[in-house]
């Protein structure tokens, strides 16, 4: 049985977030993930692994000129958030992450046991 106060606290910790557009491409050696995070500076971007779960979170740096106030805002939540469950065939210890011009690129290789390999054939 859960405590109602704890359930409310958990819900308050989760801010509404935008889902960034993500492309995932798999090849023989791993996957490439590309996420569009416009307006997010590198300092406000977090990529985290927790077990087999990969999470991406970035906060948009909304700048309003001094002395001005927004009269209309379409982006109410300045946070992008996305999570993925990774296959155990992938090696999260070898993730390569690059971020440029609001685009995050991750390369996650397959673990050695899941990599294709050529088997040598001996001739008798």
């Amino acid at each position: 049985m859960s405590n109602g106060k704890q359930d409310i606290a958990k819900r308050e910790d989760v801010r509404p977030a935008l889902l960034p557009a993500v492309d995932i491409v798999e090849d023989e050696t791993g996957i490439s993930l590309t996420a569009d995070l416009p307006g997010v500076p590198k300092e406000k971007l977090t990529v985290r692994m927790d077990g087999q779960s990969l999470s991406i979170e970035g906060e948009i740096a909304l700048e309003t000129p001094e002395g001005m106030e927004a009269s209309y805002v379409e982006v109410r939540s300045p946070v992008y958030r996305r999570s993925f469950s990774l296959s155990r065939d992938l090696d999260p210890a070898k993730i390569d992450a690059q971020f440029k011009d609001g685009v995050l690129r991750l390369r996650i290789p397959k673990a050695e046991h899941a990599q294709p390999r050529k088997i040598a054939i001996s001739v008798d």
Side-chain angles (χ1 to χ4, degrees), residues 17-31:
L18 301 168
L19 290 175
V22 174
D23 292 330
I24 300 173
V25 177
E26 182 177 8
D27 61 29
E28 290 181 346
T29 62
I31 64 170

Side-chain angles (χ1 to χ4, degrees), residues 27-92:
D27 61 29
E28 290 181 346
T29 62
I31 64 170
S32 296
L33 182 146
T34 304
D36 292 328
L37 302 159
V40 175
K42 184 180 179 220
E43 309 78 56
K44 302 266 185 167
L45 177 63
T46 304
V47 178
R48 191 174 65 236
M49 282 295 307
D50 185 10
Q52 291 302 118
S53 179
L54 170 73
S55 63
I56 299 168
E57 186 170 323
E59 188 171 338
I60 300 169
L62 298 173
E63 294 182 22
T64 305
E66 189 176 325
M68 297 188 84
E69 186 178 311
S71 58
Y72 177 77
V73 179
E74 288 189 1
V75 178
R76 300 237 181 257
S77 176
V79 176
Y80 288 106
R81 187 177 305 122
R82 196 83 186 253
S83 294
F84 304 91
S85 293
L86 298 182
S87 164
R88 295 197 183 278
D89 287 344
L90 297 173
D91 188 350

Side-chain angles (χ1 to χ4, degrees), residues 81-110:
R81 187 177 305 122
R82 196 83 186 253
S83 294
F84 304 91
S85 293
L86 298 182
S87 164
R88 295 197 183 278
D89 287 344
L90 297 173
D91 188 350
K94 295 183 180 176
I95 294 176
D96 177 52
Q98 298 176 7
F99 186 63
K100 183 178 179 187
D101 298 329
V103 178
L104 173 66
R105 289 184 171 81
L106 300 177
R107 178 67 186 162
I108 309 170
K110 287 186 179 176

